[in-house]
Amino acid sequence: MDSFVDSREFARMTRAIEFIEREYQRQPRLAEIARHVGLSEYHFNRLFRRWTGLTPKQYLAEVTSRAASAALREEPSVMDAALSVGLSGGGRLHDLTVTLEAMSPGEIRARGAGVQIRHGVSETPFGSAFIAETTRGLMRLGFLDGRSDTTEIAALRVLWPHAKFVRDDARARELAATLWRRNSGGHESVTLPLAVTGTNFQVQVWRALLELDPGATVTYSALARKLGVPDGARAVGNAVGANPIAWVIPCHRVLKASGELGGYRWGAARKQMIHRWEERRAGMS
């Protein structure tokens, strides 16, 4: 036996990986996976990361993401795909299950040819919102502040002039109910795939926001440093401001260097309300 390999550890990690791959639709918690291989949560978490380079939480997210991508090619809608991989049950954590894909250059060049965009308006905990999706995923969520959705639809038509636009308020309400689901444990966000259009840098910023721990905040400068552009706080700010999917891509968690909330594309007051809402939610957990 190779002296650098602990066969018992290897066997346990293999069992853990097989368990996650088999049970991902239930989104098992760390305690359950650790119990399955006969280790404490703390020991298992450290051991799994040493062997795989990922935490169990990150590995479960990867498995779920792969399954969601496959389901999107086979299921008739985003919601059906989410349901098929077990993403709609209670206890889902927003940062575990959200997947983000950028539109390909070919799709952008086609300008929506062959694409159906379903869109509508729904009430949310933070006011009326315009919501739009394709079979690839949620593509737009913006708060309306009493305005009609005409401006939002016009903006999408500029990007996707050849797409077929279908009004579906019932679907928008269904998506809103899913995103702001309330259950016995409080509000829980549920994953849906996101399909965004943006520059490479914008997409990098949006991915970094999705990697924030639930409820965590970050400054523009810290986000710039994380992305390897220490002098790029202004560029990061512009990318944050261009976020096309409010709430789900949590641009509301980006603060000024002073710790103040700062501006928000959908209003400073709404940003304050969202922070209060998340603080109350954290208190329930």
Side-chain angles (χ1 to χ4, degrees):
M1 182 185 70
D2 187 336
S3 60
F4 292 100
V5 176
D6 184 318
S7 59
R8 289 173 300 179
E9 286 185 4
F10 178 81
R12 277 179 163 149
M13 294 305 99
T14 299
R15 284 166 53 204
I17 288 170
E18 290 173 347
F19 181 83
I20 293 170
E21 296 271 2
R22 185 173 65 249
E23 301 294 333
Y24 73 89
Q25 287 181 306
R26 297 193 297 104
Q27 297 288 290
R29 295 182 179 276
L30 176 64
E32 181 182 356
I33 307 171
R35 199 162 51 242
H36 181 75
V37 297
L39 295 172
S40 70
E41 292 180 49
Y42 177 76
H43 189 196
F44 171 64
N45 197 54
R46 290 187 61 192
L47 205 59
F48 192 93
R49 186 164 190 169
R50 181 156 65 82
W51 277 84
T52 67
L54 299 171
T55 65
K57 174 180 175 179
Q58 290 168 331
Y59 187 79
L60 177 60
E62 282 203 353
V63 172
T64 305
S65 177
R66 290 200 305 268
S69 295
L72 277 171
R73 292 191 291 270
E74 301 168 1
E75 298 292 344
S77 73
V78 173
M79 181 60 73
D80 291 327
L83 291 172
S84 76
V85 296
L87 297 182
S88 62
R92 301 298 183 268
L93 292 179
H94 168 84
D95 67 323
L96 281 184
T97 47
V98 167
T99 61
L100 182 148
E101 293 184 27
M103 295 291 188
S104 70
E107 289 173 315
I108 293 172
R109 282 195 298 271
R111 305 189 73 190
V115 174
Q116 183 181 92
I117 297 176
R118 287 198 287 176
H119 62 88
V121 174
S122 175
E123 291 302 314
T124 79
F126 308 109
S128 297
F130 173 82
I131 302 174
E133 67 169 351
T134 71
T135 56
R136 285 278 303 277
L138 189 66
M139 66 184 307
R140 186 67 59 97
L141 195 164
F143 298 109
L144 293 174
D145 291 321
R147 296 176 288 106
S148 74
D149 58 359
T150 305
T151 302
E152 294 284 351
I153 296 170
L156 284 181
R157 288 189 183 277
V158 170
L159 289 172
W160 312 111
H162 303 313
K164 179 181 180 181
F165 285 77
V166 177
R167 181 86 189 200
D168 194 343
D169 289 327
R171 176 60 177 165
R173 290 192 294 271
E174 182 182 6
L175 287 167
T178 299
L179 288 168
W180 284 282
R181 184 180 300 274
R182 181 187 291 275
N183 57 34
S184 59
H187 288 79
E188 290 290 347
S189 294
V190 177
T191 49
L192 290 175
L194 311 181
V196 298
T197 306
T199 67
N200 289 339
F201 183 73
Q202 286 174 331
V203 173
Q204 287 178 31
V205 172
W206 300 337
R207 286 189 189 280
L209 291 176
L210 287 171
E211 291 171 1
L212 291 174
D213 289 332
T217 58
V218 67
T219 64
Y220 294 99
S221 57
L223 196 55
R225 289 194 297 272
K226 179 178 180 180
L227 292 169
V229 284
D231 298 323
R234 183 178 295 276
V236 164
N238 290 335
V240 169
N243 172 26
I245 304 179
W247 171 262
V248 185
I249 298 177
C251 57
H252 57 272
R253 295 186 190 156
V254 185
L255 310 179
K256 290 183 175 181
S258 63
E260 296 175 328
L261 289 182
Y264 185 51
R265 178 176 175 180
W266 293 283
R270 179 174 282 109
K271 187 173 184 177
Q272 182 72 254
M273 287 190 292
I274 291 174
H275 274 269
R276 297 289 187 188
W277 192 93
E278 290 191 324
E279 287 172 1
R280 290 196 300 271
R281 180 188 176 204
M284 294 178 185
S285 60

